[in-house]
Amino acid sequence: MKTYKLSKEYNYVIYGAAFLGVQILTGLRNSGYNVNAFLDKRASELKEVEGVKVYEPQSYKSDNKENVVVIVAVTTCLLYTSPSPRDRSLS
């Protein structure tokens, strides 16, 4: 994975328009950075957050993909691991 230093040359997009995404938006704005969009599966109900348009992740398009940095702002992740054969024998 490539890491980036914040730069005004990048277009920032935040994946996740809930509390953490808004906190990141506020921090970026307070530091003089521009956030172009939020990506969130609830885009149809949210439409816009703090003046920033919300898009469905699969529908967002950027004119300049090379300068887009997506910041992931998701606090919950579901991880499913199937039990190993050994674990199944114990039940």
Side-chain angles (χ1 to χ4, degrees), residues 75-90:
T75 57
T76 56
C77 294
L78 298 176
L79 176 65
Y80 174 78
T81 56
S82 61
S84 70
R86 190 183 79 146
D87 293 338
R88 279 185 250 151
S89 66
L90 298 175

Side-chain angles (χ1 to χ4, degrees), residues 7-66:
S7 171
K8 303 242 186 330
E9 71 185 57
Y10 296 126
N11 297 306
Y12 294 96
V13 174
I14 301 173
Y15 184 95
F19 178 79
L20 183 57
V22 173
Q23 295 301 306
I24 292 170
L25 170 69
T26 301
L28 287 170
R29 280 183 170 171
N30 289 343
S31 298
Y33 297 96
N34 186 40
V35 174
N36 294 15
F38 277 107
L39 305 179
D40 197 291
K41 64 183 178 185
R42 300 169 300 136
S44 61
E45 71 183 71
L46 295 174
K47 298 193 186 340
E48 191 174 281
V49 173
E50 299 290 323
V52 177
K53 185 151 174 55
V54 182
Y55 296 89
E56 292 280 341
Q58 65 274 15
S59 69
Y60 180 72
K61 298 199 182 342
S62 174
D63 294 336
N64 188 355
K65 292 183 183 186
E66 297 208 3

